[in-house]
Amino acid sequence: MYTGRTRIDTVRFDPIRSQPGHLSRPRSHERRRCEYTESTSYPEKGSCVLVEETVMASAALICDTEPWKDLKEHINVIKKTHLRDLMNDVDRCQSMMVEFDGIILDYSRQRARLDTMEKLFKLAEAADLRKKIDSMYNGEHINSTENRSVLHIALRAPRDKVICSDGKNVVPDVWDVLDKIKDFSDRVRSGSWVGATGKALKDVVAIGIGGSFLGPLFVHTALQTDPEAAVCANERQLRFLANVDPVDVARNLKGLNPETTLVVVVSKTFTTAETMLNARTMREWISSALGAQAVAKHMVAVSTNLTLVEKFGIDPANAFAFWDWVGGRYSVCSAVGVLPLSLQYGFPIVEKFLKGASNIDNHFYSTSFERNLPVLLGLLSVWNVTFLGYPARAILPYSQALEKFAPHIQQVSMESNGKGVSIDGVPLPFEAGEIDFGEPGTNGQHSFYQLIHQGRVIPCDFIGSIKSQQPIYLKGEVVSNHDELMSNFFAQPDALAYGKSPEQLLHENVPDHLIPHKTFSGNRPSLSLLLPSLDAYNIGQLLAIYEHRIAVEGFIWGINSFDQWGVELGKVLATQVRKQLHLSRTGGGPVQGFNLSTTTLLTKYLEVEPGNPSDSTVLPRLNQ
């Protein structure tokens, strides 16, 4: 059981030396941090805790520990087993089923024995997983390369919780923004806030990219068919403009009326190249139809750069903040996601989503590792990726409502853990990170399941729900539509685990020449997550489970899961190309300063598409 805490003393605010909500500044030689009390939930409102922080720089790698070496030797034992035999061990299977708040995790079809799990728990202990989780919740700067806290948990914390960053409880700031979002979305939805011509704003276009797009899109897609959320949407439209490709602009503008459209520009610095070009495009679309003065009524921002927001033409009063301790891919619970989702569904629906995520935050923080959903999932991913050598993971939700879940987790996982060095900058001598992909069942069965059954071994996450969002029953049918869907959810993991042997095929009188083609080796690992339903609360839970799972993987591997330097180099090189395109378009100069390949392609591109972008404004030509 790994639930211990270091006892620490609660320090009340000094009304003379400190302003309410702030801590006295420590002496220069002291390094302090905020930490939770010994209880299994967050501290009560009005208290904050200080302990001395000891920072020990170390280049030690997890692969140098005895538990790691023990697991490496254990691989040879596991290679001699088959899931057909492991699944016959009833005690093992029962031990590998965990339930929390109606969610059931079944990981009995993993290539692991009970002693495998014990070895993984020892690895977690060697990696100081408990301390690293505490450090995240305590607001320490675990994102060391950017010198930031990692506190997306604060985005969905109840008002009375204390979560500190740099000596300040950040929860009141979060709720200031949430209250502002509720007020604004209520006014827009009720029609008290109208557009420049007095018409109600029924359509919202959210402009953002990466984490400012994939997370909110996943939640929006999942809520669209939830009965309660669908009623609250009340014929409103929410669209997401992410790609700088003009085709994406054209698709988002098709059928929209500027008079009834509200644009939400999501950019922390208000400088992201793709986002701001799309924002300027939408500003031109609104201005050309309604006049420049209409921008203030039809565009709002999610940003911290109020100077650039105002310069753009958006009233700073209509800017919604978020913070450096929120990474983009973890920001769906901030104004990045909450604002557009509240405009579409109303704040009460989104608040249920936040409560679901907060529920898992508490579970992750307080539950023993043996019963902890994110910890179990994270340890099993490490086992599959680094020890068994399976580089990919298929995310297979048996619900069309979750069609955008895999693309979102793709970013959260691969941007977080796609690292080649430790948090101390030491090259990793082992593989870390997963290749994530997925498609809802049963669509995926008619797409890539051939490979996962008879090609490469790819561990699979099967995600299902007991209740359908939109049940259908047809008289005379053997089962309902949802039962048909879930029949596959239950069958596919067994098919992967057991497979089909040549002996079975011979017994079925399959011709000899077809036996190699119809043989299924089995022994292919999977796990199943069964949710009670897919309402806003459950969707929040699912999101948080995967967020924390990915953090666990990074904590075990000893990498920084919260920076993303790998996305920067391409942006820098794109700036050079952008300058060349501008020079060539405006001055007709030759392409210079690039290698032969890039020079040839750029020259060809400029020959075929010679138009001058500054001649005049051209907007998409799809029928409005």
Side-chain angles (χ1 to χ4, degrees), residues 533-583:
S533 64
L534 273 179
D535 59 14
Y537 181 84
N538 299 136
I539 293 165
Q541 288 180 306
L542 182 63
L543 172 74
I545 287 171
Y546 273 76
E547 286 180 343
H548 293 317
R549 172 194 197 165
I550 290 159
V552 168
E553 294 173 58
F555 289 151
I556 298 295
W557 284 320
I559 62 180
N560 184 357
S561 298
F562 306 105
D563 62 9
Q564 58 280 335
W565 298 107
V567 305
E568 298 300 321
L569 179 58
K571 291 182 178 180
V572 173
L573 296 178
T575 299
Q576 299 173 18
V577 176
R578 188 183 303 116
K579 290 178 180 178
Q580 179 65 61
L581 289 172
H582 175 71
L583 288 173

Short mmCIF file of all heavy atoms in Angstrom, two decimals, residues 533-583:
data_model
loop_
_atom_site.label_atom_id
_atom_site.label_comp_id
_atom_site.label_asym_id
_atom_site.label_seq_id
_atom_site.Cartn_x
_atom_site.Cartn_y
_atom_site.Cartn_z
N SER A 533 -22.21 5.03 -17.98
CA SER A 533 -22.89 5.77 -19.05
C SER A 533 -21.89 6.73 -19.66
O SER A 533 -20.69 6.68 -19.33
CB SER A 533 -24.12 6.53 -18.50
OG SER A 533 -23.70 7.53 -17.58
N LEU A 534 -22.37 7.58 -20.54
CA LEU A 534 -21.49 8.60 -21.13
C LEU A 534 -22.16 9.96 -21.02
O LEU A 534 -22.42 10.64 -22.01
CB LEU A 534 -21.18 8.27 -22.60
CG LEU A 534 -19.99 7.34 -22.84
CD1 LEU A 534 -19.83 7.08 -24.32
CD2 LEU A 534 -18.70 7.90 -22.25
N ASP A 535 -22.44 10.36 -19.77
CA ASP A 535 -22.92 11.71 -19.55
C ASP A 535 -21.72 12.63 -19.29
O ASP A 535 -20.57 12.19 -19.35
CB ASP A 535 -23.93 11.76 -18.40
CG ASP A 535 -23.36 11.26 -17.07
OD1 ASP A 535 -22.12 11.12 -16.96
OD2 ASP A 535 -24.15 11.03 -16.14
N ALA A 536 -21.98 13.88 -19.03
CA ALA A 536 -20.89 14.85 -18.86
C ALA A 536 -19.95 14.44 -17.73
O ALA A 536 -18.72 14.59 -17.85
CB ALA A 536 -21.48 16.24 -18.59
N TYR A 537 -20.50 13.91 -16.65
CA TYR A 537 -19.69 13.49 -15.50
C TYR A 537 -18.75 12.36 -15.89
O TYR A 537 -17.54 12.40 -15.59
CB TYR A 537 -20.63 13.06 -14.37
CG TYR A 537 -19.95 12.63 -13.10
CD1 TYR A 537 -19.54 13.57 -12.15
CD2 TYR A 537 -19.73 11.29 -12.82
CE1 TYR A 537 -18.94 13.18 -10.96
CE2 TYR A 537 -19.13 10.87 -11.64
CZ TYR A 537 -18.73 11.82 -10.71
OH TYR A 537 -18.13 11.43 -9.54
N ASN A 538 -19.25 11.34 -16.56
CA ASN A 538 -18.42 10.21 -16.97
C ASN A 538 -17.36 10.61 -17.98
O ASN A 538 -16.24 10.09 -17.98
CB ASN A 538 -19.28 9.09 -17.56
CG ASN A 538 -20.29 8.52 -16.60
OD1 ASN A 538 -21.44 8.30 -16.96
ND2 ASN A 538 -19.88 8.30 -15.36
N ILE A 539 -17.71 11.55 -18.86
CA ILE A 539 -16.74 12.03 -19.85
C ILE A 539 -15.58 12.74 -19.14
O ILE A 539 -14.41 12.57 -19.50
CB ILE A 539 -17.43 12.96 -20.86
CG1 ILE A 539 -18.41 12.16 -21.71
CG2 ILE A 539 -16.40 13.67 -21.76
CD1 ILE A 539 -19.40 13.01 -22.48
N GLY A 540 -15.89 13.51 -18.10
CA GLY A 540 -14.84 14.13 -17.30
C GLY A 540 -13.96 13.10 -16.61
O GLY A 540 -12.73 13.26 -16.53
N GLN A 541 -14.58 12.04 -16.09
CA GLN A 541 -13.80 10.98 -15.46
C GLN A 541 -12.84 10.32 -16.45
O GLN A 541 -11.66 10.10 -16.15
CB GLN A 541 -14.75 9.91 -14.90
CG GLN A 541 -15.53 10.31 -13.67
CD GLN A 541 -16.43 9.19 -13.18
OE1 GLN A 541 -17.23 8.64 -13.95
NE2 GLN A 541 -16.29 8.82 -11.93
N LEU A 542 -13.35 10.01 -17.63
CA LEU A 542 -12.52 9.34 -18.64
C LEU A 542 -11.33 10.20 -19.01
O LEU A 542 -10.20 9.71 -19.12
CB LEU A 542 -13.38 9.03 -19.87
CG LEU A 542 -12.67 8.29 -21.01
CD1 LEU A 542 -12.20 6.92 -20.56
CD2 LEU A 542 -13.60 8.17 -22.21
N LEU A 543 -11.56 11.49 -19.21
CA LEU A 543 -10.47 12.40 -19.54
C LEU A 543 -9.39 12.37 -18.46
O LEU A 543 -8.19 12.21 -18.76
CB LEU A 543 -10.99 13.82 -19.70
CG LEU A 543 -9.90 14.89 -19.88
CD1 LEU A 543 -9.29 14.82 -21.25
CD2 LEU A 543 -10.46 16.28 -19.60
N ALA A 544 -9.78 12.50 -17.20
CA ALA A 544 -8.82 12.58 -16.11
C ALA A 544 -8.07 11.27 -15.92
O ALA A 544 -6.88 11.27 -15.58
CB ALA A 544 -9.52 12.98 -14.81
N ILE A 545 -8.74 10.14 -16.13
CA ILE A 545 -8.06 8.84 -16.03
C ILE A 545 -6.88 8.80 -16.99
O ILE A 545 -5.76 8.39 -16.62
CB ILE A 545 -9.05 7.69 -16.33
CG1 ILE A 545 -10.01 7.50 -15.16
CG2 ILE A 545 -8.29 6.38 -16.59
CD1 ILE A 545 -11.15 6.54 -15.47
N TYR A 546 -7.10 9.21 -18.22
CA TYR A 546 -6.02 9.15 -19.21
C TYR A 546 -4.96 10.21 -18.96
O TYR A 546 -3.76 9.96 -19.18
CB TYR A 546 -6.60 9.25 -20.62
CG TYR A 546 -6.99 7.90 -21.18
CD1 TYR A 546 -8.16 7.27 -20.76
CD2 TYR A 546 -6.19 7.24 -22.09
CE1 TYR A 546 -8.52 6.03 -21.25
CE2 TYR A 546 -6.54 6.00 -22.60
CZ TYR A 546 -7.70 5.39 -22.18
OH TYR A 546 -8.04 4.16 -22.66
N GLU A 547 -5.36 11.40 -18.53
CA GLU A 547 -4.37 12.43 -18.20
C GLU A 547 -3.41 11.92 -17.14
O GLU A 547 -2.18 12.05 -17.28
CB GLU A 547 -5.06 13.70 -17.72
CG GLU A 547 -5.74 14.51 -18.80
CD GLU A 547 -6.41 15.76 -18.26
OE1 GLU A 547 -6.64 15.84 -17.03
OE2 GLU A 547 -6.71 16.66 -19.06
N HIS A 548 -3.95 11.35 -16.07
CA HIS A 548 -3.10 10.89 -14.97
C HIS A 548 -2.32 9.63 -15.35
O HIS A 548 -1.20 9.42 -14.88
CB HIS A 548 -3.94 10.66 -13.72
CG HIS A 548 -4.53 11.92 -13.15
ND1 HIS A 548 -3.81 13.08 -13.02
CD2 HIS A 548 -5.77 12.20 -12.67
CE1 HIS A 548 -4.57 14.03 -12.48
NE2 HIS A 548 -5.76 13.51 -12.27
N ARG A 549 -2.92 8.78 -16.17
CA ARG A 549 -2.20 7.60 -16.66
C ARG A 549 -0.91 8.02 -17.37
O ARG A 549 0.15 7.42 -17.17
CB ARG A 549 -3.10 6.83 -17.62
CG ARG A 549 -2.40 5.68 -18.34
CD ARG A 549 -3.22 5.20 -19.51
NE ARG A 549 -2.81 3.89 -19.97
CZ ARG A 549 -3.52 3.12 -20.79
NH1 ARG A 549 -4.70 3.52 -21.21
NH2 ARG A 549 -3.07 1.94 -21.18
N ILE A 550 -1.03 9.02 -18.22
CA ILE A 550 0.12 9.50 -18.99
C ILE A 550 1.17 10.10 -18.06
O ILE A 550 2.38 9.92 -18.27
CB ILE A 550 -0.37 10.50 -20.06
CG1 ILE A 550 -1.16 9.75 -21.14
CG2 ILE A 550 0.79 11.28 -20.66
CD1 ILE A 550 -2.09 10.62 -21.95
N ALA A 551 0.73 10.80 -17.03
CA ALA A 551 1.67 11.35 -16.05
C ALA A 551 2.41 10.22 -15.32
O ALA A 551 3.63 10.32 -15.10
CB ALA A 551 0.92 12.23 -15.04
N VAL A 552 1.69 9.17 -14.96
CA VAL A 552 2.33 8.03 -14.28
C VAL A 552 3.43 7.44 -15.15
O VAL A 552 4.54 7.15 -14.66
CB VAL A 552 1.28 6.95 -13.93
CG1 VAL A 552 1.96 5.64 -13.51
CG2 VAL A 552 0.36 7.44 -12.83
N GLU A 553 3.17 7.25 -16.43
CA GLU A 553 4.18 6.72 -17.33
C GLU A 553 5.43 7.59 -17.30
O GLU A 553 6.56 7.09 -17.18
CB GLU A 553 3.63 6.64 -18.75
CG GLU A 553 2.50 5.64 -18.94
CD GLU A 553 1.90 5.74 -20.34
OE1 GLU A 553 2.65 5.57 -21.31
OE2 GLU A 553 0.69 6.01 -20.45
N GLY A 554 5.24 8.90 -17.43
CA GLY A 554 6.37 9.80 -17.41
C GLY A 554 7.12 9.78 -16.10
O GLY A 554 8.36 9.84 -16.07
N PHE A 555 6.38 9.71 -14.99
CA PHE A 555 7.03 9.65 -13.68
C PHE A 555 7.89 8.39 -13.55
O PHE A 555 8.97 8.43 -12.97
CB PHE A 555 5.97 9.67 -12.57
CG PHE A 555 5.29 11.00 -12.39
CD1 PHE A 555 3.99 11.07 -11.90
CD2 PHE A 555 5.94 12.19 -12.69
CE1 PHE A 555 3.35 12.28 -11.72
CE2 PHE A 555 5.31 13.42 -12.51
CZ PHE A 555 4.02 13.46 -12.02
N ILE A 556 7.40 7.27 -14.06
CA ILE A 556 8.17 6.02 -13.99
C ILE A 556 9.40 6.11 -14.89
O ILE A 556 10.52 5.75 -14.48
CB ILE A 556 7.31 4.81 -14.39
CG1 ILE A 556 6.12 4.64 -13.43
CG2 ILE A 556 8.17 3.54 -14.42
CD1 ILE A 556 6.49 4.30 -12.01
N TRP A 557 9.22 6.56 -16.11
CA TRP A 557 10.35 6.67 -17.04
C TRP A 557 11.37 7.72 -16.62
O TRP A 557 12.50 7.71 -17.09
CB TRP A 557 9.84 6.98 -18.45
CG TRP A 557 9.25 5.80 -19.15
CD1 TRP A 557 9.71 4.51 -19.14
CD2 TRP A 557 8.09 5.79 -20.00
NE1 TRP A 557 8.91 3.70 -19.92
CE2 TRP A 557 7.90 4.47 -20.46
CE3 TRP A 557 7.19 6.78 -20.41
CZ2 TRP A 557 6.86 4.10 -21.32
CZ3 TRP A 557 6.15 6.42 -21.27
CH2 TRP A 557 5.98 5.10 -21.70
N GLY A 558 10.94 8.65 -15.77
CA GLY A 558 11.85 9.70 -15.32
C GLY A 558 12.04 10.80 -16.34
O GLY A 558 13.11 11.39 -16.44
N ILE A 559 10.98 11.09 -17.11
CA ILE A 559 11.04 12.15 -18.12
C ILE A 559 10.14 13.31 -17.70
O ILE A 559 9.36 13.19 -16.75
CB ILE A 559 10.62 11.62 -19.51
CG1 ILE A 559 9.18 11.12 -19.48
CG2 ILE A 559 11.57 10.52 -19.96
CD1 ILE A 559 8.68 10.58 -20.81
N ASN A 560 10.24 14.41 -18.43
CA ASN A 560 9.36 15.55 -18.18
C ASN A 560 8.18 15.45 -19.14
O ASN A 560 8.31 15.73 -20.33
CB ASN A 560 10.11 16.87 -18.40
CG ASN A 560 9.25 18.09 -18.05
OD1 ASN A 560 8.08 17.96 -17.70
ND2 ASN A 560 9.84 19.26 -18.15
N SER A 561 7.03 15.07 -18.61
CA SER A 561 5.84 14.89 -19.44
C SER A 561 5.11 16.20 -19.72
O SER A 561 4.04 16.18 -20.34
CB SER A 561 4.86 13.92 -18.75
OG SER A 561 5.45 12.66 -18.60
N PHE A 562 5.67 17.33 -19.30
CA PHE A 562 4.89 18.56 -19.32
C PHE A 562 5.52 19.69 -20.13
O PHE A 562 5.04 20.81 -20.10
CB PHE A 562 4.61 19.00 -17.88
CG PHE A 562 3.98 17.91 -17.06
CD1 PHE A 562 4.70 17.21 -16.12
CD2 PHE A 562 2.66 17.54 -17.29
CE1 PHE A 562 4.13 16.18 -15.40
CE2 PHE A 562 2.08 16.51 -16.57
CZ PHE A 562 2.81 15.82 -15.62
N ASP A 563 6.61 19.39 -20.84
CA ASP A 563 7.10 20.35 -21.83
C ASP A 563 6.91 19.74 -23.22
O ASP A 563 6.47 18.60 -23.36
CB ASP A 563 8.56 20.74 -21.57
CG ASP A 563 9.52 19.57 -21.66
OD1 ASP A 563 9.11 18.47 -22.10
OD2 ASP A 563 10.70 19.74 -21.29
N GLN A 564 7.21 20.50 -24.26
CA GLN A 564 7.02 20.01 -25.63
C GLN A 564 7.96 20.72 -26.59
O GLN A 564 7.55 21.30 -27.57
CB GLN A 564 5.55 20.17 -26.09
CG GLN A 564 4.98 21.58 -26.08
CD GLN A 564 4.53 22.03 -24.72
OE1 GLN A 564 4.22 21.22 -23.86
NE2 GLN A 564 4.54 23.33 -24.50
N TRP A 565 9.24 20.64 -26.29
CA TRP A 565 10.23 21.32 -27.12
C TRP A 565 10.26 20.75 -28.53
O TRP A 565 10.71 21.43 -29.47
CB TRP A 565 11.61 21.23 -26.46
CG TRP A 565 11.65 21.89 -25.12
CD1 TRP A 565 11.71 21.27 -23.91
CD2 TRP A 565 11.61 23.29 -24.84
NE1 TRP A 565 11.71 22.19 -22.89
CE2 TRP A 565 11.65 23.46 -23.44
CE3 TRP A 565 11.53 24.44 -25.64
CZ2 TRP A 565 11.63 24.69 -22.82
CZ3 TRP A 565 11.51 25.68 -25.03
CH2 TRP A 565 11.56 25.80 -23.63
N GLY A 566 9.80 19.53 -28.68
CA GLY A 566 9.85 18.89 -30.00
C GLY A 566 8.99 19.56 -31.04
O GLY A 566 9.16 19.30 -32.24
N VAL A 567 8.06 20.42 -30.63
CA VAL A 567 7.21 21.08 -31.63
C VAL A 567 7.82 22.40 -32.10
O VAL A 567 7.28 23.05 -33.00
CB VAL A 567 5.79 21.35 -31.06
CG1 VAL A 567 5.17 20.07 -30.55
CG2 VAL A 567 5.82 22.40 -29.96
N GLU A 568 8.95 22.80 -31.51
CA GLU A 568 9.47 24.14 -31.77
C GLU A 568 10.32 24.25 -33.03
O GLU A 568 10.24 25.24 -33.76
CB GLU A 568 10.31 24.62 -30.56
CG GLU A 568 9.52 24.74 -29.27
CD GLU A 568 8.37 25.73 -29.37
OE1 GLU A 568 8.54 26.78 -30.02
OE2 GLU A 568 7.30 25.43 -28.82
N LEU A 569 11.14 23.24 -33.31
CA LEU A 569 12.09 23.37 -34.41
C LEU A 569 11.39 23.59 -35.74
O LEU A 569 11.79 24.46 -36.53
CB LEU A 569 12.97 22.11 -34.48
CG LEU A 569 14.01 22.09 -35.61
CD1 LEU A 569 14.95 23.29 -35.50
CD2 LEU A 569 14.79 20.79 -35.59
N GLY A 570 10.33 22.82 -35.99
CA GLY A 570 9.60 23.00 -37.23
C GLY A 570 9.03 24.39 -37.36
O GLY A 570 8.99 24.97 -38.45
N LYS A 571 8.59 24.97 -36.23
CA LYS A 571 8.04 26.33 -36.26
C LYS A 571 9.12 27.34 -36.65
O LYS A 571 8.88 28.28 -37.42
CB LYS A 571 7.46 26.70 -34.89
CG LYS A 571 6.19 25.95 -34.52
CD LYS A 571 5.69 26.44 -33.18
CE LYS A 571 4.40 25.75 -32.77
NZ LYS A 571 3.90 26.22 -31.47
N VAL A 572 10.33 27.16 -36.11
CA VAL A 572 11.43 28.07 -36.42
C VAL A 572 11.76 28.02 -37.91
O VAL A 572 11.94 29.05 -38.57
CB VAL A 572 12.67 27.72 -35.57
CG1 VAL A 572 13.88 28.55 -36.01
CG2 VAL A 572 12.38 27.95 -34.09
N LEU A 573 11.86 26.81 -38.45
CA LEU A 573 12.18 26.66 -39.87
C LEU A 573 11.05 27.21 -40.74
O LEU A 573 11.29 27.78 -41.81
CB LEU A 573 12.44 25.19 -40.19
CG LEU A 573 13.66 24.57 -39.49
CD1 LEU A 573 13.79 23.10 -39.86
CD2 LEU A 573 14.93 25.31 -39.83
N ALA A 574 9.80 27.06 -40.27
CA ALA A 574 8.67 27.60 -41.04
C ALA A 574 8.74 29.11 -41.12
O ALA A 574 8.32 29.71 -42.12
CB ALA A 574 7.35 27.16 -40.40
N THR A 575 9.28 29.75 -40.09
CA THR A 575 9.43 31.21 -40.12
C THR A 575 10.37 31.64 -41.25
O THR A 575 10.12 32.62 -41.95
CB THR A 575 9.98 31.70 -38.77
OG1 THR A 575 9.05 31.36 -37.74
CG2 THR A 575 10.19 33.21 -38.77
N GLN A 576 11.44 30.88 -41.45
CA GLN A 576 12.37 31.19 -42.54
C GLN A 576 11.69 31.03 -43.90
O GLN A 576 11.88 31.85 -44.80
CB GLN A 576 13.60 30.28 -42.44
CG GLN A 576 14.38 30.44 -41.15
CD GLN A 576 15.49 29.40 -41.00
OE1 GLN A 576 15.88 28.77 -41.98
NE2 GLN A 576 15.99 29.23 -39.80
N VAL A 577 10.90 29.97 -44.03
CA VAL A 577 10.19 29.76 -45.29
C VAL A 577 9.17 30.86 -45.52
O VAL A 577 9.01 31.37 -46.64
CB VAL A 577 9.50 28.38 -45.29
CG1 VAL A 577 8.68 28.19 -46.57
CG2 VAL A 577 10.53 27.26 -45.16
N ARG A 578 8.49 31.26 -44.45
CA ARG A 578 7.48 32.32 -44.56
C ARG A 578 8.12 33.62 -45.07
O ARG A 578 7.56 34.30 -45.93
CB ARG A 578 6.83 32.54 -43.19
CG ARG A 578 5.63 33.48 -43.19
CD ARG A 578 5.09 33.69 -41.79
NE ARG A 578 4.70 32.44 -41.15
CZ ARG A 578 5.29 31.96 -40.06
NH1 ARG A 578 6.28 32.61 -39.49
NH2 ARG A 578 4.87 30.83 -39.53
N LYS A 579 9.28 33.94 -44.55
CA LYS A 579 9.98 35.15 -45.01
C LYS A 579 10.33 35.05 -46.49
O LYS A 579 10.20 36.01 -47.25
CB LYS A 579 11.24 35.36 -44.18
CG LYS A 579 10.98 35.76 -42.73
CD LYS A 579 12.28 35.92 -41.96
CE LYS A 579 12.01 36.31 -40.52
NZ LYS A 579 13.28 36.40 -39.73
N GLN A 580 10.79 33.86 -46.91
CA GLN A 580 11.15 33.68 -48.31
C GLN A 580 9.93 33.81 -49.22
O GLN A 580 10.00 34.44 -50.28
CB GLN A 580 11.79 32.30 -48.51
CG GLN A 580 12.19 31.98 -49.95
CD GLN A 580 13.28 32.89 -50.46
OE1 GLN A 580 14.38 32.92 -49.93
NE2 GLN A 580 12.99 33.67 -51.50
N LEU A 581 8.82 33.23 -48.81
CA LEU A 581 7.60 33.33 -49.61
C LEU A 581 7.17 34.78 -49.76
O LEU A 581 6.76 35.21 -50.85
CB LEU A 581 6.47 32.50 -48.97
CG LEU A 581 6.63 30.98 -49.07
CD1 LEU A 581 5.55 30.29 -48.23
CD2 LEU A 581 6.54 30.50 -50.51
N HIS A 582 7.25 35.54 -48.68
CA HIS A 582 6.87 36.94 -48.75
C HIS A 582 7.79 37.71 -49.70
O HIS A 582 7.32 38.50 -50.55
CB HIS A 582 6.93 37.57 -47.36
CG HIS A 582 6.65 39.05 -47.35
ND1 HIS A 582 5.41 39.57 -47.59
CD2 HIS A 582 7.48 40.11 -47.14
CE1 HIS A 582 5.47 40.89 -47.53
NE2 HIS A 582 6.72 41.24 -47.25
N LEU A 583 9.09 37.48 -49.57
CA LEU A 583 10.04 38.17 -50.44
C LEU A 583 9.82 37.81 -51.91
O LEU A 583 9.83 38.68 -52.79
CB LEU A 583 11.48 37.82 -50.04
CG LEU A 583 11.98 38.42 -48.72
CD1 LEU A 583 13.33 37.85 -48.35
CD2 LEU A 583 12.07 39.95 -48.84
#
